[in-house]
Amino acid sequence: NAGVTQTPKFRILKIGQSMTLQCTQDMNHNYMYWYRQDPGMGLKLIYYSVGAGITDKGEVPNGYNVSRSTTEDFPLRLELAAPSQTSVYFCASSFGTGRSYEQYFGPGTRLTVT
Amino acid sequence: DAKTTQPTSMDCAEGRAANLPCNHSTISGNEYVYWYRQIHSQGPQYIIHGLKNNETNEMASLIITEDRKSSTLILPHATLRDTAVYYCIVRVGLTGANSKLTFGKGITLSVRP
Protein backbone atom coordinates (compact mmCIF):
# COMPACT_ATOMS: atom_id res chain seq x y z
CA ASN A 1 0.00 0.00 0.00
CA ALA A 2 1.15 3.52 -0.76
CA GLY A 3 -0.72 4.78 2.31
CA VAL A 4 -1.59 8.48 2.20
CA THR A 5 -0.16 10.39 -0.74
CA GLN A 6 -0.20 14.15 -1.24
CA THR A 7 0.55 16.31 -4.24
CA PRO A 8 2.26 18.61 -4.85
CA LYS A 9 5.15 18.44 -2.38
CA PHE A 10 5.93 22.13 -2.75
CA ARG A 11 4.09 25.09 -4.22
CA ILE A 12 4.53 28.84 -4.37
CA LEU A 13 1.39 30.89 -4.94
CA LYS A 14 0.88 34.56 -5.50
CA ILE A 15 -1.65 36.40 -3.37
CA GLY A 16 -5.13 35.93 -4.77
CA GLN A 17 -4.37 32.76 -6.72
CA SER A 18 -6.22 29.52 -6.11
CA MET A 19 -5.09 25.93 -5.99
CA THR A 20 -6.14 22.44 -4.95
CA LEU A 21 -4.06 20.23 -2.71
CA GLN A 22 -4.61 16.59 -3.54
CA CYS A 23 -4.83 13.76 -1.00
CA THR A 24 -5.40 10.09 -1.76
CA GLN A 25 -5.40 7.04 0.51
CA ASP A 26 -5.49 3.40 -0.53
CA MET A 27 -6.28 1.84 2.85
CA ASN A 28 -10.08 2.00 2.49
CA HIS A 29 -10.30 4.36 5.44
CA ASN A 30 -13.62 6.03 6.15
CA TYR A 31 -12.21 9.09 7.87
CA MET A 32 -9.97 11.71 6.33
CA TYR A 33 -8.54 14.96 7.70
CA TRP A 34 -6.70 18.08 6.65
CA TYR A 35 -4.31 19.78 9.06
CA ARG A 36 -2.01 22.75 8.72
CA GLN A 37 1.20 23.30 10.64
CA ASP A 38 2.78 26.71 11.02
CA PRO A 39 6.48 26.96 11.94
CA GLY A 40 7.21 25.82 15.49
CA MET A 41 3.59 24.98 16.17
CA GLY A 42 1.47 21.88 16.44
CA LEU A 43 -1.03 20.82 13.79
CA LYS A 44 -4.42 22.49 13.51
CA LEU A 45 -7.43 20.77 11.97
CA ILE A 46 -8.91 22.49 8.92
CA TYR A 47 -11.63 20.07 7.74
CA TYR A 48 -12.47 16.44 8.19
CA SER A 49 -14.72 13.84 6.61
CA VAL A 50 -16.29 10.71 8.09
CA GLY A 51 -17.20 9.25 4.72
CA ALA A 52 -17.87 10.01 1.08
CA GLY A 53 -20.23 12.95 0.76
CA ILE A 54 -19.83 14.04 4.40
CA THR A 55 -17.50 16.84 5.47
CA ASP A 56 -17.29 19.13 8.48
CA LYS A 57 -15.28 22.09 9.67
CA GLY A 58 -12.37 21.84 12.02
CA GLU A 59 -10.61 24.50 14.04
CA VAL A 60 -9.38 26.76 11.19
CA PRO A 61 -11.64 26.32 8.11
CA ASN A 62 -11.75 29.91 6.84
CA GLY A 63 -10.28 30.33 3.38
CA TYR A 64 -10.55 26.63 2.51
CA ASN A 65 -13.06 24.27 0.97
CA VAL A 66 -13.18 20.50 0.71
CA SER A 67 -15.16 17.81 -1.03
CA ARG A 68 -15.30 14.03 -0.64
CA SER A 69 -16.81 12.37 -3.67
CA THR A 70 -14.97 9.07 -3.20
CA THR A 71 -13.59 7.12 -0.27
CA GLU A 72 -10.04 7.49 -1.57
CA ASP A 73 -9.79 11.22 -2.32
CA PHE A 74 -10.12 14.30 -0.15
CA PRO A 75 -8.93 17.43 -1.99
CA LEU A 76 -8.43 20.75 -0.20
CA ARG A 77 -9.20 23.90 -2.15
CA LEU A 78 -7.63 27.27 -1.40
CA GLU A 79 -9.49 30.21 -2.87
CA LEU A 80 -7.87 33.65 -3.00
CA ALA A 81 -4.61 32.65 -1.35
CA ALA A 82 -3.29 34.92 1.42
CA PRO A 83 0.15 35.10 3.09
CA SER A 84 -1.48 33.76 6.28
CA GLN A 85 -2.02 30.47 4.46
CA THR A 86 1.70 29.90 4.14
CA SER A 87 2.10 26.63 5.99
CA VAL A 88 2.72 22.92 5.70
CA TYR A 89 -0.46 20.98 4.98
CA PHE A 90 -0.91 17.40 6.10
CA CYS A 91 -3.63 15.01 5.08
CA ALA A 92 -4.48 12.04 7.29
CA SER A 93 -6.87 9.10 7.29
CA SER A 94 -8.17 6.49 9.70
CA PHE A 95 -10.72 3.70 9.90
CA GLY A 96 -12.80 5.65 12.40
CA THR A 97 -14.74 2.66 13.67
CA GLY A 98 -13.60 -0.67 15.02
CA ARG A 99 -10.10 -1.98 14.35
CA SER A 100 -7.39 0.61 14.74
CA TYR A 101 -8.11 4.25 15.41
CA GLU A 102 -4.71 5.62 14.62
CA GLN A 103 -4.45 8.32 12.00
CA TYR A 104 -2.02 7.82 9.16
CA PHE A 105 -0.44 10.99 7.82
CA GLY A 106 0.82 11.90 4.39
CA PRO A 107 4.23 13.52 3.76
CA GLY A 108 2.81 17.03 3.57
CA THR A 109 2.61 19.89 1.07
CA ARG A 110 4.72 22.97 1.74
CA LEU A 111 2.87 26.04 0.53
CA THR A 112 4.26 29.56 0.34
CA VAL A 113 2.02 32.51 -0.54
CA THR A 114 3.84 35.68 -1.55
CA ASP B 1 -10.95 17.66 25.05
CA ALA B 2 -8.64 17.89 28.05
CA LYS B 3 -5.54 19.99 27.61
CA THR B 4 -2.09 18.53 28.00
CA THR B 5 1.13 20.03 29.32
CA GLN B 6 4.54 18.84 28.21
CA PRO B 7 8.05 20.16 28.82
CA THR B 8 9.47 22.01 25.85
CA SER B 9 12.45 19.77 25.34
CA MET B 10 14.63 17.04 26.77
CA ASP B 11 17.55 14.93 25.74
CA CYS B 12 18.89 11.51 26.46
CA ALA B 13 21.87 9.37 25.53
CA GLU B 14 21.64 6.83 22.76
CA GLY B 15 20.84 3.39 24.11
CA ARG B 16 19.28 4.70 27.29
CA ALA B 17 15.60 4.87 28.09
CA ALA B 18 13.80 8.10 27.24
CA ASN B 19 10.97 8.97 29.61
CA LEU B 20 8.67 11.65 28.23
CA PRO B 21 6.17 13.10 30.73
CA CYS B 22 2.74 14.52 30.05
CA ASN B 23 0.32 16.20 32.41
CA HIS B 24 -3.42 15.99 31.73
CA SER B 25 -4.91 16.89 35.07
CA THR B 26 -8.36 17.74 33.66
CA ILE B 27 -8.81 14.44 31.84
CA SER B 28 -12.27 12.89 31.96
CA GLY B 29 -13.05 9.25 32.55
CA ASN B 30 -13.83 8.56 28.89
CA GLU B 31 -10.83 10.32 27.40
CA TYR B 32 -7.94 8.43 25.84
CA VAL B 33 -4.26 9.38 25.98
CA TYR B 34 -2.52 9.24 22.60
CA TRP B 35 1.11 9.75 21.65
CA TYR B 36 2.32 10.72 18.20
CA ARG B 37 5.73 11.82 17.05
CA GLN B 38 6.92 13.95 14.17
CA ILE B 39 10.37 13.48 12.78
CA HIS B 40 11.68 16.61 11.13
CA SER B 41 9.49 17.77 8.23
CA GLN B 42 7.57 14.49 8.05
CA GLY B 43 3.93 13.76 8.84
CA PRO B 44 3.16 12.71 12.42
CA GLN B 45 3.40 9.02 13.25
CA TYR B 46 1.20 7.16 15.72
CA ILE B 47 3.07 5.58 18.63
CA ILE B 48 0.64 4.28 21.22
CA HIS B 49 -2.57 5.03 23.10
CA GLY B 50 -4.30 4.00 26.32
CA LEU B 51 -7.29 4.63 28.54
CA LYS B 52 -6.51 3.35 32.03
CA ASN B 53 -4.07 0.49 31.84
CA ASN B 54 -0.44 0.65 30.92
CA GLU B 55 0.21 -0.28 27.32
CA THR B 56 3.22 -1.61 25.44
CA ASN B 57 3.90 -2.16 21.78
CA GLU B 58 6.96 -2.62 19.60
CA MET B 59 7.75 1.08 19.69
CA ALA B 60 7.15 2.18 23.27
CA SER B 61 5.42 1.78 26.61
CA LEU B 62 2.76 4.06 28.01
CA ILE B 63 2.44 4.40 31.76
CA ILE B 64 -0.72 6.12 33.01
CA THR B 65 -0.97 7.06 36.68
CA GLU B 66 -3.81 5.59 38.71
CA ASP B 67 -5.63 8.94 38.89
CA ARG B 68 -5.02 9.36 35.12
CA LYS B 69 -3.82 12.92 35.60
CA SER B 70 -0.45 12.24 34.02
CA SER B 71 1.32 9.73 31.85
CA THR B 72 4.81 8.84 30.68
CA LEU B 73 5.89 7.59 27.29
CA ILE B 74 8.92 5.34 27.54
CA LEU B 75 11.24 4.60 24.64
CA PRO B 76 13.24 1.75 26.16
CA HIS B 77 16.43 2.05 24.09
CA ALA B 78 16.53 5.41 22.35
CA THR B 79 18.35 5.69 19.05
CA LEU B 80 19.37 8.73 17.01
CA ARG B 81 16.34 8.09 14.78
CA ASP B 82 14.08 8.73 17.77
CA THR B 83 15.02 12.42 17.71
CA ALA B 84 11.66 14.06 17.04
CA VAL B 85 8.82 16.14 18.46
CA TYR B 86 6.52 13.99 20.59
CA TYR B 87 2.90 14.98 21.06
CA CYS B 88 0.75 13.87 23.96
CA ILE B 89 -2.92 14.17 22.99
CA VAL B 90 -6.09 13.54 24.95
CA ARG B 91 -9.37 12.99 23.14
CA VAL B 92 -12.85 11.92 24.09
CA GLY B 93 -13.67 9.26 21.61
CA LEU B 94 -12.72 7.57 18.45
CA THR B 95 -15.59 8.14 16.04
CA GLY B 96 -17.17 11.08 14.26
CA ALA B 97 -16.24 14.52 15.48
CA ASN B 98 -14.51 12.95 18.49
CA SER B 99 -11.94 11.36 16.22
CA LYS B 100 -10.20 14.68 15.77
CA LEU B 101 -6.71 15.11 17.17
CA THR B 102 -5.75 18.36 18.88
CA PHE B 103 -2.01 18.91 18.74
CA GLY B 104 -0.09 21.14 21.13
CA LYS B 105 3.55 22.11 20.65
CA GLY B 106 4.82 18.78 21.93
CA ILE B 107 8.18 17.99 23.47
CA THR B 108 11.35 17.94 21.41
CA LEU B 109 13.44 14.88 22.22
CA SER B 110 17.08 15.02 21.21
CA VAL B 111 19.00 11.76 21.38
CA ARG B 112 22.72 12.34 21.64
CA PRO B 113 25.40 9.85 20.54
Side-chain angles (χ1 to χ4, degrees), chain A residues 42-57:
Chain A
L43 283 71
K44 292 184 178 180
L45 183 67
I46 305 171
Y47 271 96
Y48 69 100
S49 169
V50 300
I54 305 170
T55 62
D56 207 349
K57 296 178 180 179

Side-chain angles (χ1 to χ4, degrees), chain A residues 4 13 16 35 43 46 54 87 89:
Chain A
V4 180
L13 280 182
Y35 295 87
L43 283 71
I46 305 171
I54 305 170
S87 191
Y89 292 83

Side-chain angles (χ1 to χ4, degrees), chain A residues 24-35:
Chain A
T24 300
Q25 53 90 10
D26 62 358
M27 298 173 282
N28 201 31
H29 285 168
N30 297 325
Y31 288 23
M32 295 188 75
Y33 311 81
W34 274 107
Y35 295 87

Side-chain angles (χ1 to χ4, degrees), chain B residues 50-111:
Chain B
L51 182 61
K52 295 180 182 178
N53 300 321
N54 298 337
E55 302 287 344
T56 295
N57 63 20
E58 64 278 4
M59 288 182 68
S61 295
L62 174 61
I63 309 298
I64 303 174
T65 58
E66 192 169 344
D67 63 6
R68 304 212 321 123
K69 293 183 184 300
S70 65
S71 61
T72 301
L73 178 74
I74 301 173
L75 307 178
H77 305 287
T79 70
L80 297 179
R81 288 178 295 178
D82 291 322
T83 293
V85 178
Y86 288 78
Y87 298 98
C88 172
I89 300 167
V90 171
R91 72 183 195 194
V92 171
L94 305 171
T95 60
N98 293 328
S99 68
K100 297 175 292 185
L101 294 173
T102 300
F103 288 81
K105 292 187 178 181
I107 178 172
T108 299
L109 173 67
S110 300
V111 180

